Amino acid sequence: MSTPITTKISRLSLLTLLLLTGSIFAQPDLPANSWQEDLRFLQKTVHEDYSFLFKKTSPGAFDEEVEKLYAAIPSLESHEIIIGMARLVASFKYGHTSLRLGGEKNNFYQLPLNLYHFNDGVYIEGTHKDYQDALGAKVLEIEGVPIAEVLSAVEPVIPAENEQYAKGYGLGYLNFPEVLHAQGVTKTLKKDIAFTLEKDGEVFKKVFMASRGL
């Protein structure tokens, strides 16, 4: 059973959200100190009650990332803080311990396409009817950033147990403009994301418009 976030995150609901359900349904506009309090509670509770998660990362490495996020919170937008939380949870590298950003009720934008990682690169496997000319195209760049660099930038957000899991599951994170911004792929948060594509020997650009609730 999921615990929704509406206008306020309680410490207990945040912990349940991150470690049990992995779902997030909104981007609450909280003051920096509230985010920091929740982050401290998450840190404390992981150490005291969920220490078994420290298999693929160490307590020290986890705490170091917590401190970086804690210090940065006053200068971050809410989606950047949420993605920061997602990076912390993903650092455990358990596929079922994650902060899922998708779903009908969340407040994140999402691009209308499905990506698939074949042996020779990332391709658009499915898309909205308005972008049919992009179907089957190979992705070369996103917002001018080579796809290999985009994948590397987004990788820390993906709760992947191994490389194949990341390729199969993690490409969905490229559909979120909030992730692309928080991970430095785009300089600003924007809904219109330009892809450089290759299809039938032709290289062209296609701009996809993100929307909520996909």
Side-chain angles (χ1 to χ4, degrees):
M1 184 175 73
S2 61
T3 303
I5 295 181
T6 52
T7 58
K8 184 178 181 180
I9 294 181
S10 71
R11 293 175 179 176
L12 181 58
S13 68
L14 176 63
L15 183 66
T16 302
L17 181 85
L18 294 180
L19 298 181
L20 301 181
T21 72
S23 299
I24 189 159
F25 294 90
Q27 296 179 48
D29 186 16
L30 297 175
N33 66 314
S34 293
W35 283 113
Q36 289 172 324
E37 288 174 4
D38 284 324
L39 179 60
R40 285 292 186 227
F41 181 77
L42 172 64
Q43 180 186 29
K44 179 177 182 291
T45 307
V46 165
H47 278 286
E48 293 182 354
D49 299 329
Y50 296 90
S51 59
F52 63 86
L53 290 172
F54 293 117
K55 301 295 185 182
K56 300 177 182 179
T57 188
S58 67
F62 175 76
D63 287 341
E64 182 178 351
E65 293 306 312
V66 167
E67 295 308 321
K68 289 179 182 178
L69 180 58
Y70 186 94
I73 280 175
S75 64
L76 297 178
E77 298 180 52
S78 60
H79 71 276
E80 294 177 290
I81 300 171
I82 292 170
I83 301 305
M85 297 277 193
R87 287 196 303 269
L88 288 172
V89 176
S91 71
F92 298 125
K93 298 190 182 300
Y94 282 100
H96 297 290
T97 301
S98 64
L99 196 162
R100 293 191 300 273
L101 305 178
E104 294 183 357
K105 297 181 180 180
N106 80 54
N107 210 31
F108 280 77
Y109 284 90
Q110 191 170 355
L111 297 172
L113 48 83
N114 294 323
L115 300 172
Y116 191 86
H117 205 304
F118 289 94
N119 290 335
D120 62 337
V122 175
Y123 287 78
I124 296 179
E125 185 182 41
T127 188
H128 188 275
K129 62 182 181 179
D130 291 344
Y131 306 97
Q132 284 296 305
D133 57 333
L135 186 63
K138 183 178 183 178
V139 179
L140 303 180
E141 299 175 339
I142 298 179
E143 286 291 312
V145 180
I147 186 63
E149 295 181 20
V150 174
L151 293 172
S152 179
V154 173
E155 187 273 334
V157 186
I158 303 170
E161 298 178 7
N162 52 54
E163 183 179 357
Q164 290 306 312
Y165 189 96
K167 287 182 177 180
Y169 174 74
L171 289 179
Y173 285 81
L174 275 62
N175 286 348
F176 296 107
E178 289 87 352
V179 172
L180 297 178
H181 175 238
Q183 295 302 107
V185 177
T186 61
K187 295 181 179 179
T188 61
L189 179 59
K190 51 190 296 187
K191 293 186 292 183
D192 53 327
I193 305 296
F195 281 59
T196 303
L197 305 173
E198 182 180 14
K199 183 178 181 181
D200 298 329
E202 178 187 359
V203 175
F204 61 101
K205 289 188 181 295
K206 190 72 176 180
V207 177
F208 295 85
M209 183 64 67
S211 59
R212 286 181 173 140
L214 292 180

